[in-house]
């Protein structure tokens, strides 16, 4: 019997999710033994036409990492969807947009202006911007079109499962792969694999009190007590609003959880939930003091939506930035 | 047709909802732009509801509870107050004008005030124009 | 039991009883100086000398320590005894020539002058009562004898003048010293710190006040020698029913109750904050509560109105609204002061010949029969001056130089500035919330009105209820009021409590919060949000739990839970989302 085929693809992401697959160490041999890897451009030389040649549904599972922010990524997402029986949004970017998704508070024109014209290191006297089509003597050159917004994978194609994390922890990755290798029955469509049902706090060993916060700190501003809950100490730990499964890696070493495992099952909007929770425990009833305490949060959106913005209720506010300019 | 803002009002049961009711019973006119949703206390108002309302097409959101110190549950409105302050900053970062969200206190006896408050937010949002967040 | 005869009377006592005790049984008086009940006799002064006859043997012995034996005959006042006492007293008088107690006793025996010398300064007769008191009873071991022969004397350790590091200042030595050789000096100048007013000294064991329930004495552990040094224990020795137990400790008793009536009362405004009235500085400026205590027939003066130097005052000024109706302190009216001030005036008129001046802003005689009482007090000749007193200063009165006071004020009825000379001033200080009002409020989750008193559920329709079912208010903890109003409120609350007990069950709204233990991450964000403290943390499961009976369904925790682990029945996220979608169904389709 031929081995089931697997594919791994990398769209708008940093590549950490590819590394985490390799981080399963010797188990990678089990993967190679059990599956026929048909597409993994990061590690081996495959071409898109190889994928196009496979019959629809011919790939057993595709682990797709990265968000969708240009036309090529969309094209491959659609192609791999067609070819795969099981499509997994693998890692935070595919799951919910992750860091690339933060770009949704702005738009393409602004990004181009900054990147190609305004940064100090840019040398572009004519102010040239990327063009999708360029006429050259040799013919027309094409590059993918950059979109106004960043999408999670499931905003573009139908997704079967999600593996959260930035990146997913390798033990969880192996658990998911092992499940597939052993041919165990697949969970219901839409399930989140390789993570728990509770929050990061559940895995966190730190001692917590009833919370009362008088000011917030950034990580460089204080040396936290190693035993106590970071949030109790005023550090903006996203643990309470973040799904468990990572093993509370960050908080165990004194770094506040940034929320890469995404919202837990009861939460409709991770950032709004955190805003609600934090404001509930701010220790003041005086508007002026409340403003002062809130001012100690340097970047609320970047903190509460670091991984989840593209998948939040407000995933994107406007195609143009009229309102944003009005605010200023 | 002139722009008629759609505004969702989240009202606590004991003060603002009763106050709005009183306005009705006393035949005080207040703009139909504000569409009330009753919750037991302003402390129940999750910021998620506010963004959900914007996403569903609201141009403005009004949160109204009992006056500070008068909350039926003692302190719920202070939680609403703090959420409001933080939420304004976040809306602004997202590119939504923070004035589209208004927090106010209306007691069960303040039918007149309810009318004033609803007029105020309606005019405020009318000036800001439509938000168009519904897909 | 043995039998003996004293001055011809037969008496039966236990063998070994000192003759002094045996004589006391017959009410025969024997003079003593160095004897003190409860302290081991030492027979130093020898003024208790008596004659004992056994058969043909006659002996002079000291009655305080000589043990009774069967069949003896004792003479306490025959010529031989009197002669012996005279000699002893003459010797004592030669040593301590000006001590009143010795001079008086000697005079009783006809001794006016001593052949053995004259020393006007010496006061100690070296009886050692103080030494035994300090070492045997108090067990502080401060005092002892030093030197021998004529240089023998009582000393503190190393003869330092102040042995305050070992002396516990109980004063017992001074108390027992028969000659007044020991005095106690108050170096601290402390006023009583007891919450009750300090108007006079009290003992380590006392009945707190006459109406105390239960009416039994209690021991102040800070003042009790037994508790401080392990010594003394005299009260246990004298208490026949053996009711004294020094090991008794304050106990924390936990009771399971379903309803609570909060009646924690008030405290009185500290008038020394208003320096212009001299409270705490001038001797005869009293707070109303101190004056109330003075008027009490079981109080320290037995109900007599006396100035600090023990004289009856010629005039008393009563100043209303101290700290009440004053934007700097309390805006509210304390409500009871006008009426008790009139009561004071009435009682002063009744008990003394003093003039009484009331300095008031408005006379608020609001209750049933109160206005009538006001008229009656006016008829009794009490002076009322409308105008808030500006200050109280020290003054002279006639040719007396000290101890008098002057109240300065504007009499707004005649539009003139007045200075009224008085001997005593009573300040009607405001009724204010207790210092621990906030803490007590937190325990019962009670809100407070802007004046700091506990907030009732509704000022007209539910003046004794609170927003927490089962918790009621009565008395001044809810706001200043007099006793009739306090009692009315308390009885109303009691009736409500009984009604609930009779009913046996409570109806709860179905709007409740509940926590899904499979979703709760145990972050504790919700733990101190609940106004009813319905949320606790289960340390075993590491999740938070809602007590559904306490929860009132406000939904604060539901909104706050970052995990979305809390559901609020009746107002779930899904229900509210559906409402939002419903009322905005027409949006967007422009
Ligand atoms: C000078 C003066 C004279 C007055 N004269 C009159 C008068 O003639 N007629 C009249 O009608 N009214 C008079 N009043 C008013 C009267 O004192 C009050 O109306 C009455 O005492 C109120 O009763 P209460 O039970 O509320 O408070 P309180 O009498 O203060 O009793 C409260 C009790 O609660 C106890 N307590 C406090 N905190 C706690 C706690 N945390 N735990 C347990 N126990 C606690 C206190 O020790 C106290 O025993 C006078 C008041 C003053 C100041
Ligand atoms: S808030 Fe952060 S530090 Fe505190 S218990 Fe949760 S995960 Fe741990
Ligand atoms: S602690 Fe938070 S940020 Fe860190 S790995 Fe876990 S989920 Fe991600
Ligand atoms: S806020 Fe939510 S997750 Fe945190 S302890 Fe309470 S119920 Fe649990
Ligand atoms: S809903 Fe309100 S009353 Fe009920 S447990 Fe939560 S905070 Fe307490
Ligand atoms: S009940 Fe109205 S704000 Fe809490
Ligand atoms: S009383 Fe007996 S010797 Fe002093």
């Amino acid at each position: 019997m031929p081995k089931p085929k697997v594919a791994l693809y990398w769209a708008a992401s940093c590549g950490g999710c590819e590394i985490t697959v390799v981080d399963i160490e010797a188990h990678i041999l089990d993967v190679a033994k059990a599956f026929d890897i048909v597409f993994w451009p990061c590690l081996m030389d495959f071409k898109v036409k190889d994928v196009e040649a496979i019959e629809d549904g011919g790939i057993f599972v595709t682990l797709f990492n990265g968000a969708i922010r240009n036309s090529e990524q969309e094209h491959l997402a659609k192609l791999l969807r067609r070819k795969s029986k099981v499509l997994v949004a693998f890692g935070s970017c595919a799951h919910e947009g992750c860091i690339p998704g933060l770009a949704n508070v702005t738009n393409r024109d602004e990004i181009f202006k900054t990147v190609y014209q305004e940064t100090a290191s840019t040398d572009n006297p004519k102010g040239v911007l990327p063009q999708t089509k360029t006429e050259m003597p040799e013919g027309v050159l094409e590059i993918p079109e950059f979109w106004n917004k960043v999408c999670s994978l499931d905003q573009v194609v139908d997704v079967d499962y999600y593996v959260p994390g930035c990146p997913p922890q390798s033990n969880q990755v192996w658990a998911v792969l092992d499940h597939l290798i052993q041919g165990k029955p697949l969970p219901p469509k839409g399930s989140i694999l390789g993570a728990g049902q509770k929050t990061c706090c559940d895995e966190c060993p730190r001692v917590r009190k009833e919370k009362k916060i008088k000011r917030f700190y950034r990580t460089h501003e204080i040396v936290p007590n190693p035993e106590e809950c970071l949030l109790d100490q005023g550090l903006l730990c996203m643990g309470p609003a973040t799904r468990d499964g990572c093993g509370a890696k960050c908080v165990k070493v004194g770094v506040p959880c940034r929320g890469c495992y995404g919202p837990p099952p009861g939460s409709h909007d991770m950032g709004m939930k955190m805003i609600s929770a934090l404001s509930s425990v701010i220790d003041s009833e005086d508007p002026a003091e409340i403003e002062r305490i809130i001012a100690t949060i340097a970047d609320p959106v970047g903190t509460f939506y670091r991984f989840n913005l593209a998948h939040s209720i407000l995933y994107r506010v406007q195609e143009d930035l009229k309102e944003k300019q009005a605010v200023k | 047709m002139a722009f008629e803002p759609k505004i969702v009002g989240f009202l606590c049961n004991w003060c603002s909802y009763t106050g709005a009711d009183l306005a009705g019973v006393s035949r005080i006119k207040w703009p139909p732009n504000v569409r009330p949703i009753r919750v037991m206390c302003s402390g129940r108002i999750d910021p998620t509801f506010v963004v959900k309302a914007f996403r569903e097409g609201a141009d403005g959101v009004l949160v109204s509870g009992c006056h500070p110190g008068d909350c039926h549950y003692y302190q719920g409105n202070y939680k609403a107050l703090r959420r409001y302050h933080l939420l304004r900053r976040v809306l602004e970062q997202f590119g939504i004008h923070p004035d589209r969200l208004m927090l106010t206190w209306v007691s069960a006896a303040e039918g007149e005030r309810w009318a004033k408050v609803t007029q105020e937010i309606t005019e405020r949002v009318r000036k800001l124009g439509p938000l168009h967040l519904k897909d | 039991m043995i039998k003996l005869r004293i001055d011809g009377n037969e008496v039966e006592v236990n063998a070994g009883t000192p003759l002094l005790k045996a004589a006391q049984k017959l009410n025969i008086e024997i003079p003593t100086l160095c004897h003190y009940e409860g302290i081991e006799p030492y027979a130093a002064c020898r003024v208790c000398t008596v004659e004992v006859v056994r058969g043909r043997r006659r002996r002079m012995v000291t009655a305080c320590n000589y043990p009774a034996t069967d069949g003896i005959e004792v003479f306490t006042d025959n010529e031989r005894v009197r002669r012996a006492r005279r000699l002893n007293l003459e010797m004592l008088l030669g040593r301590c020539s000006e001590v009143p107690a010795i001079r008086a006793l000697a005079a009783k025996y006809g001794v006016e002058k001593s052949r053995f010398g004259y020393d006007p300064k010496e006061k100690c007769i070296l009886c050692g009562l103080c030494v035994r008191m300090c070492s045997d009873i108090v067990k502080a071991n401060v005092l002892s004898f030093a030197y021998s022969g004529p240089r023998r004397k009582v000393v503190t350790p190393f003869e330092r003048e102040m042995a305050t590091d070992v002396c516990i200042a109980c004063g017992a030595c001074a108390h027992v010293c028969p000659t007044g050789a020991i005095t106690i000096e108050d170096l601290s100048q402390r006023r009583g710190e007891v919450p009750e007013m300090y108007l006079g000294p009290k003992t380590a064991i006392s009945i707190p006040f006459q109406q105390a329930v239960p009416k039994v004495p209690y021991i102040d552990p800070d003042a009790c020698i037994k508790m401080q040094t392990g010594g003394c224990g005299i009260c246990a020795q004298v208490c026949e029913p053996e009711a004294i137990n020094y090991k008794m400790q304050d106990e924390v008793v936990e009771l399971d109750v379903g309803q609570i009536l909060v009646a924690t009362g008030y405290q009185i405004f500290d008038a020394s904050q208003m320096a212009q009235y001299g409270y705490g500085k001038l001797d005869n400026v009293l707070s109303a509560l101190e004056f109330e205590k003075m008027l009490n027939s079981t109080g320290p003066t037995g109900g007599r109105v006396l100035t600090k130097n023990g004289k009856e005052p010629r005039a008393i000024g009563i100043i209303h609204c101290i700290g009440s109706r004053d934007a700097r302190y309390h805006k509210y009216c304390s409500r009871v002061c006008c009426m008790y001030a009139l009561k004071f005036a009435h009682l002063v008129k009744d008990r003394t010949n003093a003039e009484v001046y009331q300095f008031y802003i408005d006379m608020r005689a609001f209750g049933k029969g109160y206005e009538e009482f006001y008229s009656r007090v006016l008829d009794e000749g009490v002076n009322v001056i409308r105008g808030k007193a500006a200050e109280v200063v020290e003054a002279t009165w006639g040719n007396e130089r000290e101890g008098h006071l002057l109240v300065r004020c504007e009499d707004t009825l005649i539009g003139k500035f007045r200075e009224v000379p008085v001997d005593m001033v009573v300040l009607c200080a405001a009724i204010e919330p207790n210092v621990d009002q906030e803490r007590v409020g937190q325990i019962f989750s009670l809100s407070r009105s802007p004046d700091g008193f506990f907030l009732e559920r509704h000022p007209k329709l539910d003046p004794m209820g609170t927003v927490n079912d089962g918790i009621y208010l009565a008395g001044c903890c809810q706001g200043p009021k007099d006793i009739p109003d306090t009692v009315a409120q308390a009885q109303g609350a009691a009736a409500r409590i009984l009604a609930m007990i009779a009913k046996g069950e409570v109806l709860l709204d179905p709007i409740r919060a509940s926590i899904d233990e499979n979703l709760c991450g145990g972050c504790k964000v919700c733990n101190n949000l609940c106004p009813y403290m319905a949320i606790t943390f289960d340390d075993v499961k590491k999740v938070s739990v809602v007590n559904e009976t306490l929860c009132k369904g406000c939904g604060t925790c539901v909104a706050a839970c970052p995990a979305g682990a809390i559901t609020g029945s009746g107002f779930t996220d899904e229900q509210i989302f559906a409402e939002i979608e419903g009322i905005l169904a027409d949006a967007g389709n422009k």
Side-chain angles (χ1 to χ4, degrees):
Chain A
M1 206 180 91
K3 290 194 275 188
K5 297 184 172 67
V6 302
L8 288 95
Y9 189 65
W10 171 5
S13 68
C14 70
C17 291
E18 307 274 331
I19 307 298
T20 203
V21 177
V22 183
D23 271 350
I24 64 175
E25 299 173 354
H27 288 308
I28 196 77
L29 300 175
D30 299 325
V31 176
K33 204 152 74 191
F35 296 119
D36 181 10
I37 299 171
V38 293
F39 191 55
W40 193 351
C42 177
L43 289 202
M44 294 178 247
D45 188 15
F46 292 105
K47 300 291 183 229
V48 175
K49 64 176 188 314
D50 301 332
V51 182
E52 282 166 346
I54 301 172
E55 78 279 20
D56 285 0
I59 302 175
F60 169 50
V61 56
T62 293
L63 302 184
F64 191 104
N65 80 74
I68 312 296
R69 94 103 68 245
N70 67 30
S71 53
E72 183 212 25
Q73 290 156 352
E74 182 191 17
H75 172 72
L76 267 138
K78 288 187 168 150
L79 175 66
L80 284 164
R81 171 69 278 184
R82 208 166 63 235
K83 301 293 173 192
S84 318
K85 229 159 71 198
V86 174
L87 177 65
V88 178
F90 184 81
S92 176
C93 293
H95 174 205
E96 47 184 10
C98 196
I99 305 290
L102 287 171
N104 278 3
V105 296
T106 177
N107 64 10
R108 174 177 45 206
D109 292 347
E110 292 288 314
I111 293 172
F112 278 8
K113 217 157 70 199
T114 306
V115 173
Y116 295 103
Q117 293 172 339
E118 286 176 352
T119 58
S121 58
T122 303
D123 181 17
N124 183 4
K126 288 194 197 140
V128 180
L129 293 178
Q131 302 296 314
T132 47
K133 288 197 171 77
T134 313
E135 306 269 354
M136 299 296 280
E138 294 83 359
V140 180
L141 285 183
E142 277 188 50
I143 59 166
E145 184 178 356
F146 190 91
W147 285 349
N148 235 346
K149 73 173 176 195
V150 178
C151 294
S152 63
L153 185 58
D154 64 359
Q155 287 167 343
V156 176
V157 295
D158 191 35
V159 169
D160 297 301
Y161 302 113
Y162 303 85
V163 176
C166 178
Q169 294 304 302
S170 49
N171 62 323
Q172 296 282 22
V173 173
W174 170 242
V176 171
L177 290 172
D178 192 36
H179 187 105
L180 298 173
I181 290 171
Q182 298 198 18
K184 289 191 197 154
L186 294 174
K189 189 175 151 116
S191 295
I192 298 214
L193 309 179
Q197 299 284 308
K198 294 197 167 207
T199 61
C200 182
C201 297
D202 188 57
E203 296 186 306
C204 172
R206 290 174 178 265
V207 180
R208 51 219 85 146
K209 299 191 296 259
E210 293 178 1
K211 296 176 169 40
K212 271 194 169 172
I213 300 180
K214 269 275 185 234
R215 73 153 288 182
F216 294 100
Y217 295 94
R218 303 179 72 183
T219 34
H220 63 273
E221 288 175 318
I222 55 165
V223 178
N225 174 308
E227 313 284 326
E228 286 172 17
C229 166
L230 299 169
L231 192 53
D232 287 352
Q233 302 179 59
L235 285 167
L236 279 161
C237 180
M238 285 293 288
T242 305
R243 188 183 282 268
D244 65 343
C246 65
K249 283 233 156 62
C250 303
V251 282
K252 279 182 184 158
V253 298
V255 175
C257 167
R258 292 146 312 146
C260 75
Y261 263 60
S267 165
H268 295 282
D269 190 291
M270 191 171 180
M272 287 299 150
K273 269 291 167 197
M274 199 59 189
I275 290 167
S276 191
L278 279 187
S279 354
S280 300
V281 297
I282 285 176
D283 188 15
S284 172
E285 294 180 350
D286 165 48
E289 193 187 14
I290 293 172
E291 278 294 331
R292 273 200 303 281
I293 297 174
I294 286 172
T296 58
I297 304 176
D299 172 11
V301 165
T303 308
F304 306 136
Y305 288 105
R306 184 178 269 127
F307 297 93
N308 176 260
L309 189 133
H311 212 247
S312 68
I313 294 180
L314 289 180
Y315 56 87
R316 164 136 196 105
V317 169
Q318 303 245 86
E319 293 302 317
D320 61 43
L321 288 181
K322 247 191 7 240
E323 182 100 356
K324 188 141 197 177
Q325 271 134 19
V327 171
K328 286 201 177 118
Chain B
M1 209 174 82
F3 163 58
E4 277 304 332
K6 296 190 174 58
I7 296 159
V8 174
F10 294 100
L11 282 62
C12 86
N13 180 57
W14 302 95
C15 290
S16 297
Y17 198 78
T18 320
D21 201 34
L22 179 72
V25 173
S26 324
R27 305 189 177 262
I28 302 168
K29 259 197 191 157
W30 54 274
N33 304 62
V34 177
R35 305 166 179 200
I37 291 182
R38 180 177 71 103
V39 288
M40 290 312 280
C41 171
S42 64
R44 172 67 184 99
I45 302 165
D46 186 330
T48 313
F49 301 164
V50 175
V51 294
K52 172 78 178 171
F54 283 132
R55 180 50 78 201
E56 291 299 324
D59 304 301
V61 173
L62 173 66
V63 168
S64 186
C66 312
H67 286 272
D70 285 353
C71 168
H72 183 74
Y73 306 98
Y74 189 20
Q75 281 179 332
N77 48 4
Y78 288 112
K79 274 110 191 169
L81 172 72
R82 299 195 288 257
R83 290 176 193 151
Y84 163 78
H85 280 274
L86 186 48
L87 186 52
R88 271 177 75 93
R89 256 189 94 190
V90 170
L91 290 179
E92 189 171 335
Q93 273 189 298
F94 266 108
I96 295 178
H97 200 293
D99 285 352
R100 290 187 186 274
L101 173 65
M102 177 167 159
L103 172 74
T104 185
W105 318 123
V106 173
S107 84
E110 294 177 327
E112 290 281 0
R113 183 172 154 78
W114 171 253
K116 233 187 84 215
V117 160
T118 46
Q119 274 151 16
E120 188 186 331
I121 180 149
T122 309
E123 285 325 304
R124 201 198 259 188
V125 176
R126 198 191 300 280
K127 278 203 199 93
L128 288 170
L131 184 60
H132 293 318
L133 278 197
K134 192 157 184 172
D135 297 305
Chain C
M1 285 297 231
I2 54 159
K3 278 190 189 137
L4 67 155
R5 293 173 76 81
I6 303 178
D7 293 345
N9 308 303
E10 192 172 271
V11 61
E12 216 175 328
V13 293
N14 286 329
T17 307
L19 294 182
L20 186 65
K21 270 236 165 97
Q24 273 163 4
K25 253 190 131 173
L26 291 168
N27 283 328
I28 294 170
E29 209 180 311
I30 300 173
T32 61
L33 282 175
C34 73
H35 173 79
Y36 197 86
E37 189 67 43
I39 299 181
E40 197 62 18
Y42 185 60
C45 74
R46 312 204 78 80
V47 302
C48 64
T49 299
V50 294
E51 185 174 40
V52 172
V53 181
R54 179 197 299 275
R56 274 178 295 133
R57 266 191 76 185
R58 291 174 169 270
R59 283 182 68 189
M60 303 305 284
V61 302
T62 44
C64 64
N65 68 344
Y66 191 83
T69 48
D70 204 23
I72 58 171
E73 171 102 55
V74 181
F75 296 95
T76 70
D77 205 30
N78 61 19
E79 187 43 38
R80 288 153 59 84
V81 168
R82 278 199 297 276
R83 201 183 322 130
R85 286 191 191 148
R86 262 200 300 276
L87 184 65
N88 288 334
L89 283 163
E90 197 179 343
M91 288 194 279
L92 288 173
L93 195 63
R95 176 182 170 88
C96 305
S97 311
E98 292 298 335
V99 171
I102 293 173
R103 288 185 55 137
L105 194 58
K108 214 173 138 191
Y109 286 87
V111 181
E112 300 289 345
K113 247 171 61 197
S114 172
R115 288 166 285 161
F116 308 110
Y118 176 80
D119 187 342
K121 282 205 197 105
E122 183 59 78
K123 283 187 171 167
C124 173
I125 58 169
L126 298 173
C127 72
L129 254 185
C130 56
V131 176
R132 281 170 290 141
M133 176 53 110
C134 189
S135 55
D136 299 353
I137 305 294
V138 175
K139 295 210 179 348
N141 292 314
V142 181
L143 300 176
S144 61
F145 280 117
Y147 312 109
S148 56
R151 291 173 59 217
R152 187 170 165 83
K153 63 176 180 175
V154 174
V155 295
T156 55
F158 308 105
E159 292 191 58
R160 271 176 310 157
E161 210 167 275
M162 287 204 301
T164 43
D165 47 347
V166 277
C167 169
I168 61 168
C170 67
C173 53
H175 178 69
V176 295
C177 176
T179 62
I182 305 181
T183 51
I184 298 284
E185 232 177 292
D186 183 0
L187 298 173
S188 68
Q189 298 294 325
R190 258 185 321 182
R191 275 196 143 204
E193 279 160 17
V194 250
E196 282 262 5
M197 281 63 259
Y198 182 81
L199 288 177
K202 74 186 196 22
T203 53
I205 178 163
S206 63
I207 295 174
F209 52 93
Q210 288 308 305
Q211 295 80 8
V213 181
K215 196 173 167 185
V216 293
Y218 82 106
I219 297 177
D220 174 358
D222 294 331
C224 167
I225 291 165
K226 176 86 182 171
M227 295 192 186
Q228 294 297 321
T229 69
C232 191
I234 287 179
C235 54
Q237 281 172 34
V238 299
C239 175
E240 278 178 24
E242 296 180 1
I244 289 179
N245 173 0
Y246 299 107
K247 297 222 172 74
M248 223 181 231
Q249 289 279 325
D250 285 353
E251 264 179 273
V252 176
V253 182
E254 280 189 23
L255 296 176
D256 261 337
V257 297
Q259 299 181 89
I260 293 169
L261 175 52
V262 179
T264 47
Y266 63 99
Q267 70 182 25
I268 187 162
F269 171 74
D270 173 14
S272 64
Q273 289 181 57
M274 300 179 89
Q276 65 266 42
Y277 298 120
Y279 182 72
K281 282 187 312 206
L282 303 178
D283 270 348
N284 292 308
V285 177
L286 302 180
S287 83
L289 219 48
E290 286 164 341
F291 194 61
E292 183 79 38
K293 190 161 182 188
M294 183 181 280
L295 288 172
N296 190 322
S297 56
T298 59
T301 61
R304 282 177 307 151
V305 179
L306 298 175
T307 60
K308 187 93 180 239
N309 59 17
K311 287 203 204 138
E312 194 172 274
R314 285 164 296 180
I316 297 183
I318 301 176
I319 307 180
H320 293 218
C321 301
I322 302 296
S324 311
R325 308 179 66 195
D326 185 331
R328 285 162 303 171
Y329 304 100
H330 300 302
K331 286 196 190 131
Y332 55 81
C333 160
S334 290
R335 219 154 161 256
V336 293
C337 319
C338 286
M339 289 317 293
Y340 73 60
L342 292 175
K343 171 188 77 176
F344 287 169
H346 169 73
L347 292 174
V348 170
K349 280 288 177 198
D350 191 43
R351 295 181 193 176
T352 70
N353 293 315
E355 281 295 327
V356 180
Y357 297 91
Q358 303 261 0
F359 300 87
Y360 70 100
I361 310 180
D362 298 292
M363 194 61 82
R364 299 196 162 168
F366 62 96
K368 184 170 173 177
Y370 290 5
E371 184 65 24
E372 295 88 317
F373 183 68
Y374 177 32
S375 312
R376 179 173 153 201
V377 171
L378 289 180
D379 290 343
E380 288 171 357
V382 170
N383 307 294
V384 291
I385 297 176
R386 203 184 90 175
K388 182 144 182 194
E391 61 176 350
V392 176
V393 292
E394 246 172 327
T396 57
W397 188 333
N399 34 21
E400 287 175 44
R401 298 277 106 201
E402 277 174 6
H404 303 293
L405 304 166
L406 210 55
V407 183
R408 297 200 165 122
C409 81
E410 188 195 349
D411 186 331
T412 57
L413 290 181
I414 55 173
K416 286 229 162 70
F417 173 73
R418 287 180 70 174
E419 288 188 326
V420 181
V422 294
D423 283 330
M424 187 185 267
V425 164
V426 179
L427 300 176
C428 300
I431 282 187
E432 62 180 16
N434 282 322
V435 266
D436 59 356
Q437 193 92 347
E438 189 177 354
R439 255 199 57 230
V440 173
Q442 281 162 357
I443 293 176
F444 300 105
S445 290
L446 296 173
S447 330
R448 301 197 293 150
S449 33
D451 54 19
F453 294 102
F454 293 139
L455 188 66
E456 65 285 348
R457 190 197 285 262
H458 191 282
K460 294 185 203 115
L461 303 178
D462 195 356
M464 44 239 172
T466 66
V467 288
N468 304 326
D469 289 341
I471 298 188
Y472 301 91
L473 301 174
C476 290
C477 66
Q478 181 253 341
K481 56 176 69 65
D482 62 359
I483 295 169
D485 285 0
T486 298
V487 170
Q489 194 180 19
Q491 288 181 341
R496 292 268 294 276
I497 289 172
L498 287 174
M500 189 65 94
I501 292 173
K503 212 158 125 204
E505 56 186 30
V506 278
L507 281 179
L508 298 176
D509 255 325
I511 306 166
R512 301 284 103 169
S514 59
I515 296 179
D516 183 340
E517 62 173 51
N518 296 316
L519 297 183
C520 169
C523 65
K524 291 198 175 175
V525 162
C526 58
N527 280 202
N528 63 358
L529 300 183
C530 178
Y532 309 101
M533 290 181 289
I535 305 179
T536 49
F537 195 72
D538 180 336
D539 278 310
V540 180
K541 290 190 179 158
K542 304 265 180 253
V543 294
S544 294
V545 187
V546 172
N547 178 331
E548 295 205 356
T549 329
L550 292 179
C551 168
K552 298 245 182 223
C554 72
T556 296
C557 62
V558 183
C561 173
I566 314 184
T567 312
S569 59
F571 293 86
T572 63
D573 284 1
E574 287 65 27
Q575 286 171 316
I576 290 168
F577 275 25
E579 279 186 73
I580 297 172
E581 286 161 17
I583 59 172
L584 290 169
D586 63 338
N589 341 314
K590 318 151 218 161

